[in-house]
Structure formats: structure tokens, C-alpha cells
Amino acid sequence: MELNDVKIALKKPIFPVSPALQKYLRTYQRESRLPITYNDLLQFDESFPIMDKYGKDSLWEGPIYANDRIEELHNGLKVIYANLKASGNLRIVQHKYIDKIEYCTFGNTHPFRIRIVNRLNDVYDYFYVKRADASRIYGLEMEEILSPNQVNYLVDRETLIEEHIAGIPGDVFAKNYLHNPEYNPTRIAKEFVKFNERCLVMLLGDMRAYNFVVQITPDFDDIQFRIRAIDFDQQFYEGNIKVYLPQFFKENFSYVKMCMEQLTDKTYLQYQQEEKSSILHRVRSERHRLTDLRDVSNTEVLTSAENIETLKNGMAEYFSDQQYLECKTMTDIIELNIKNIIRQVKL
């Protein structure tokens, strides 16, 4: 593995949800009429900075709403949570209340983070209200179809609701947990290789350590790890192939170093192949949904012609495969990635 600094577009445009994408979302039960929209939450009078436990600015703010709007917002957010978690069954929010509404000032989408608490036992959960961006929705769908992870989200026109993905932020894990003597470093390295492979196949970009989480699962004889993306804004937008390979980001150096220390070339290729086989299995089981998604995304403009040209040349060089030069869209590139996996796994 190599390591390099990778530059990406800090102000990627937000692409609207097209009628064709809306139809796809309706078909696969991702569309929902919501009582509160992203724009409703933007109507706050002022806000205050939220500090982390070390007293540093967290880049989140606490919005302050007019008193006569708070009840309406809180009731609407509880309905949204019920739609997200229980197909609209309001019984699950009967004993819950909205504890916090927080607004992020960092990044492209400026999400709201909602904390909802069960008053019977103080157990809490989070969900997010964001401005709907077609790039992000395609990223969520690709994650659902091609990764081992399930994602839960809803879309209502210009509003996107996302379930919280639990886990230790990748940068925090690297600093505080990566070298825990109770953790098997080879298992962590193996998971990073698989994550790296998935990102390239799906063209999910900008997977720096703070854009993914590490999930830890104790097993009967060891501890298992799973790396999960939590940010899907950079879905097949950038032209630089390195954006789609987490191994190239300097923020991921600790993971790359562990892979170099723990894995041989043979085991590295073995784990790559394992992930390709898993992707192939998911492609076969979800082939109709994947075809529908391909047909919709291929009709949309979700990046620049220059980025497509740059990426297909980069992919052709990286894989020594001139077929990439025939691709017309980012979707074509993903489709060729999948076709190549099918060929390789069958060999």
C-alpha cells in the first residue's frame, strides 16, 4: 500500500433529487411524507457553540427556536423517528421526547443531529435531518446493495433522514484503540483491506478516518471488527482515482502502517479476493435493484465531463484495462468494476 495526500473538492455541488430518482425511491420504500423538513429546522433565531468534553469547539451548534414553534418541531421529529424505525407506528415514541437538536456548521450538507430519549429508562438514540443530495442518496443505495451493511434512510423531496450509524470514529479508534493489546491487529488490517476494496468498486470517495467508524463485536473466541462509511457525499463525483482508495489519505496512515506490518502480499490479495466474492454474491441477490439504480443514475448529471474523463483514464491505468476508456458515465465505471469482479471470481 502507498500513502499520499489527496485533495478533493471542498465545495461539491448539491445535486437535486430528480423525478426518476424519486420514482426509484418510491419503488424501494425509501420515500416518505414527513411533517418536518430540513428547511423547517433552519428557521432558528440564533445558536450557541457546542463544546466537546475537552472544551474545544465541536463544530456543532445548538439552534434556538421561538417558543411557539418548539412543540410543533418536537412532535414532528418524533413522527419522523417513528417513520424511520417502525414504518410510522407511533407507539414506539409514546414515551420518548426530543432532548437535543444540533446543527453542524462543517462540511457540505450542514446536517441536523437529533437526540431522542426514552423517558422510562433514559436510553437515547440519534438520527439526522439533512438536505437531500442525489450523490449522497446514490452512495447510501450502493452501500445497501454492495456492502455487508444495511443503511436506513428516508427521503421527502428536499429532505433526507438518516439513521445514526453506531461505532467509534476512525480517527478516535486510531488514536485510542488501534494498538489495544486485546485486539488482534491482523483482523483490523484485514478489515481495512476489505473496506479499501469496497470503496473503489463502489466509487465511494473521501473515506478519511473521520468519515468512517469502527464497529467492535466480541465473538466467542476473538473480537471482530467492521469498518463502516458514515459519509456518502463524495459518491462518484471526483476524477482522481486516489479519492476512492482510503489507503492514500494521510489521515489513514495508522491503518495503512498496520496493514504493512501485519499482512504479506499473499494475505493482502487473499482478503481482496474474499471481498470481491462477497460483492459478487450481493450483486447476484440484488441484481434487479442494482439494474434499476443503474438505469436511473445513468440518465443524470452528477459530476463533470472532465472528472469522468480523468477517472476513466485513471482506472484504465490502475487496472491495466483499456475497457474503462469506453465508459461514458461514472455509473458505467462502477458497472465495469462489477463485470471485472464477475470475470475474476469465475476464473
Side-chain angles (χ1 to χ4, degrees):
M1 288 187 175
E2 298 179 62
L3 184 69
N4 242 319
D5 196 9
V6 182
K7 292 188 176 3
I8 64 166
L10 295 179
K11 290 294 180 182
K12 180 191 78 67
I14 291 178
F15 295 98
V17 179
S18 68
L21 180 54
Q22 284 181 329
K23 182 179 178 181
Y24 170 91
L25 294 170
R26 194 176 308 121
T27 299
Y28 290 98
Q29 290 80 52
R30 295 296 195 180
E31 186 184 57
S32 177
R33 291 301 178 200
L34 305 173
I36 297 295
T37 68
Y38 178 86
N39 286 332
D40 289 332
L41 291 178
L42 279 179
Q43 308 308 310
F44 53 87
D45 300 323
E46 54 184 318
S47 63
F48 57 90
I50 297 174
M51 302 299 169
D52 64 20
K53 62 183 180 181
Y54 303 108
K56 295 182 179 179
D57 189 347
S58 67
L59 302 179
W60 288 83
E61 295 180 355
I64 300 174
Y65 296 96
N67 287 332
D68 59 356
R69 295 193 63 234
I70 292 176
E71 184 177 0
E72 176 192 357
L73 289 176
H74 284 197
N75 288 338
L77 289 169
K78 287 196 290 184
V79 171
I80 288 175
Y81 184 80
N83 288 352
L84 183 67
K85 293 288 191 175
S87 301
N89 188 337
L90 295 177
R91 282 191 301 240
I92 74 159
V93 295
Q94 185 177 357
H95 301 291
K96 291 184 169 66
Y97 65 92
I98 302 300
D99 182 45
K100 293 179 183 178
I101 301 175
E102 298 173 330
Y103 177 62
C104 183
T105 58
F106 179 74
N108 289 329
T109 55
H110 300 297
F112 287 89
R113 180 171 63 196
I114 315 300
R115 175 168 151 143
I116 185 168
V117 180
N118 188 327
R119 60 168 46 90
L120 299 180
N121 54 21
D122 292 330
V123 171
Y124 59 86
D125 194 8
Y126 290 98
F127 65 98
Y128 299 85
V129 181
K130 303 179 180 181
R131 184 182 289 112
D133 174 21
S135 297
R136 188 175 187 93
I137 292 169
Y138 282 116
L140 288 163
E141 277 298 297
M142 295 298 294
E143 180 79 358
E144 173 75 15
I145 296 170
L146 294 181
S147 86
N149 310 308
Q150 287 187 312
V151 292
N152 191 11
Y153 72 94
L154 296 171
V155 180
D156 181 6
R157 291 159 291 183
E158 298 178 355
T159 300
L160 170 65
I161 309 299
E162 283 185 40
E163 184 178 60
H164 175 66
I165 298 174
I168 302 171
D171 53 343
V172 176
F173 184 87
K175 182 179 179 181
N176 299 328
Y177 300 92
L178 191 63
H179 299 290
N180 186 325
E182 295 183 4
Y183 294 166
N184 184 333
T186 304
R187 288 191 179 274
I188 300 172
K190 172 184 176 179
E191 178 58 25
F192 187 78
V193 169
K194 292 190 170 192
F195 179 64
N196 196 72
E197 191 67 21
R198 286 199 300 275
C199 290
L200 182 59
V201 172
M202 298 189 295
L203 295 185
L204 176 59
D206 193 21
M207 282 300 107
R208 289 176 281 188
Y210 49 77
N211 285 333
F212 63 77
V213 296
V214 180
Q215 296 178 332
I216 304 170
T217 305
D219 204 351
F220 73 96
D221 65 344
D222 207 341
I223 296 174
Q224 306 288 345
F225 301 90
R226 171 75 59 82
I227 296 179
R228 289 196 59 176
I230 58 172
D231 191 329
F232 300 89
D233 290 340
Q234 292 287 341
Q235 177 64 43
F236 54 56
Y237 175 76
E238 296 282 347
N240 182 357
I241 187 175
K242 291 181 179 179
V243 171
Y244 306 107
L245 286 160
Q247 69 187 66
F248 285 111
F249 288 103
K250 65 180 182 180
E251 292 86 351
N252 299 339
F253 174 72
S254 298
Y255 295 94
V256 175
K257 185 171 182 287
M258 179 166 282
C259 289
M260 295 173 68
E261 292 171 347
Q262 300 297 323
L263 305 180
T264 64
D265 289 345
K266 186 175 181 179
T267 53
Y268 174 81
L269 292 172
Q270 175 191 334
Y271 296 145
Q272 264 191 329
Q273 192 64 24
E274 284 182 14
E275 189 59 30
K276 288 177 180 177
S277 297
S278 297
I279 290 172
L280 177 57
H281 176 75
R282 292 189 284 270
V283 167
R284 286 171 173 162
S285 63
E286 294 283 359
R287 60 188 181 280
H288 299 301
R289 183 172 182 169
L290 192 59
T291 298
D292 289 345
L293 187 66
R294 177 204 65 191
D295 292 345
V296 174
S297 63
N298 245 338
T299 65
E300 302 204 80
V301 177
L302 297 167
T303 187
S304 66
E306 179 185 4
N307 282 350
I308 295 171
E309 189 69 22
T310 302
L311 184 59
K312 72 182 188 181
N313 281 290
M315 297 291 279
E317 181 180 356
Y318 185 83
F319 287 111
S320 300
D321 185 349
Q322 297 302 298
Q323 291 185 81
Y324 283 99
L325 301 179
E326 305 301 318
C327 295
K328 306 296 183 188
T329 65
M330 292 295 198
T331 306
D332 286 346
I333 295 174
I334 293 177
E335 188 170 24
L336 184 53
N337 285 345
I338 293 171
K339 286 179 178 177
N340 285 338
I341 288 174
I342 294 171
R343 293 191 198 103
Q344 291 169 21
V345 171
K346 283 183 175 179
L347 291 177

